[in-house]
Amino acid sequence: DFKNSIMAKYISIFIKHEAEFTISSLHRHYKDISTDAIISSIISVETKDRLLADEYIQSIIKLNNSKLLSNLHIFFLAESRSPKAVEELNAFLERQEALHRAKQPTDIDKDFALDVCKRAGLANALVKIYSMLDFYDECVRLSLENKKYEEAKKYAKMSTDEVLKKKLWMQIAKAIIQEGRGNPKVGFEIINESKILTLSDILQFFSPKMELSAFKKELIAFLQNYGVKINDLKQQITAVSYTHLRAHETRHDLVCRLLLEKKK
């Protein structure tokens, strides 16, 4: 209508001179205005008014969920860099990451979000975006740089490439063992959790001066646990083999077996 066309025509002037009043007016009186007509002017708001502009963007995202609006939402939050804005950005990206994990389309342009968050130096946001791009090596790198070891493990487990997965776990093992000042217990915990590393893989991360006796307690416990697993596996193989034989025995075999069991 006429009101919307006037606002669309002069919004760049209104934003430049009275950004707060203009954005508040958009909130209250112009909810049905075409976003394409005003988006370029909203992008140009000064830094101090960006969070206010983002509130308006969020209100219209609910009515018109487009990648353009979601990208603008990310831009305003990242450029603001206030603790509240960063927290809100991380929460928004977590929801997008959950969509990606569920193999559903996300609402953002990942490359644009990556570029914006790189310029703003937002490591936590970058981890989530790299995850959506399936760049797990970058997720682990940034997580380790910020000493977020559990987060690093989470992304290492997501990799379906066995060569890359082992490489990531090696990086995690090195960081954690060095952080734990070479505690042998930490090393064996990583071996068990990774399900891909061996003792020979991680020995290089311990001090060359450390004697083998330092590993004695943990090594015994590790081997005992390994022995239990081997025995369980043997029992499973025996049970499967016996069941397999029973399934293929002839009538003659059946009679002989029953006679032998009766004698016992």
Side-chain angles (χ1 to χ4, degrees):
D1 61 10
F2 179 73
K3 181 182 70 172
N4 286 346
S5 65
I6 292 296
M7 174 58 83
K9 185 175 182 178
Y10 296 107
I11 188 170
S12 59
I13 299 172
F14 298 155
I15 286 281
K16 183 177 180 179
H17 296 285
E18 288 290 344
E20 186 175 347
F21 177 77
T22 304
I23 293 168
S24 298
S25 296
L26 287 170
H27 258 303
R28 294 196 304 270
H29 307 299
Y30 296 89
K31 292 183 179 179
D32 58 343
I33 193 171
S34 169
T35 54
D36 292 338
I38 63 172
I39 207 77
S40 60
S41 297
I42 293 176
I43 291 173
S44 65
V45 297
E46 293 183 15
T47 303
K48 64 182 180 64
D49 297 312
R50 281 176 179 167
L51 287 182
L52 181 62
D54 184 60
E55 289 179 13
Y56 172 68
I57 292 299
Q58 289 185 69
S59 71
I60 56 178
I61 281 177
K62 295 174 183 177
L63 303 173
N64 179 21
N65 193 8
S66 71
K67 284 193 175 182
L68 176 61
L69 294 175
S70 294
N71 289 342
L72 193 53
H73 177 47
I74 290 171
F75 174 75
F76 282 148
L77 292 177
E79 289 294 309
S80 169
R81 304 183 199 185
S82 70
K84 181 181 177 182
V86 171
E87 183 180 349
E88 191 173 334
L89 174 61
N90 288 332
F92 176 74
L93 291 174
E94 279 179 11
R95 293 193 292 272
Q96 298 302 311
E97 187 182 13
L99 289 173
H100 178 73
R101 295 272 78 79
K103 301 188 182 303
Q104 296 179 19
T106 59
D107 303 322
I108 64 172
D109 182 322
K110 302 181 189 73
D111 291 328
F112 173 82
L114 186 66
D115 182 57
V116 168
C117 293
K118 268 185 178 179
R119 285 192 300 164
L122 301 174
N124 290 337
L126 284 171
V127 168
K128 295 169 181 59
I129 299 166
Y130 279 128
S131 170
M132 287 184 267
L133 292 166
D134 297 330
F135 293 169
Y136 300 118
D137 51 341
E138 291 297 325
C139 294
V140 170
R141 179 183 65 80
L142 285 171
S143 298
L144 292 179
E145 283 180 3
N146 290 281
K147 299 186 183 298
K148 295 187 175 183
Y149 300 128
E150 294 306 314
E151 182 178 78
K153 291 176 185 177
K154 179 182 78 171
Y155 290 113
K157 290 174 183 176
M158 288 182 183
S159 176
T160 56
D161 183 328
E162 292 301 305
V163 175
L164 176 61
K165 180 178 285 190
K166 183 165 186 176
K167 176 185 174 184
L168 298 179
W169 275 104
M170 289 285 281
Q171 293 172 2
I172 293 167
K174 181 180 180 180
I176 294 178
I177 289 170
Q178 290 178 347
E179 178 79 9
R181 301 179 184 278
N183 184 344
K185 183 179 179 181
V186 172
F188 285 101
E189 287 174 350
I190 295 171
I191 290 174
N192 285 326
E193 188 171 0
S194 71
K195 296 181 174 59
I196 199 169
L197 298 183
T198 64
L199 181 58
S200 60
D201 289 326
I202 68 168
L203 279 176
Q204 60 184 299
F205 303 134
F206 292 95
S207 170
K209 297 179 181 179
M210 182 175 286
E211 296 181 2
L212 188 60
S213 58
F215 292 86
K216 183 177 178 181
K217 182 179 177 182
E218 286 75 19
L219 186 57
I220 290 172
F222 177 78
L223 292 174
Q224 286 175 340
N225 183 49
Y226 185 74
V228 169
K229 290 179 180 178
I230 290 295
N231 287 332
D232 288 344
L233 184 59
K234 284 181 178 177
Q235 290 175 7
Q236 291 174 28
I237 292 171
T238 302
V240 169
S241 300
Y242 182 66
T243 303
H244 178 77
L245 289 172
R246 289 281 300 274
H248 292 84
E249 66 184 355
T250 64
R251 184 181 298 174
H252 179 266
D253 295 331
L254 175 62
V255 171
C256 291
R257 180 171 59 77
L258 292 173
L259 287 172
L260 287 170
E261 288 179 357
K262 189 174 182 181
K263 284 183 179 181
K264 289 179 183 177

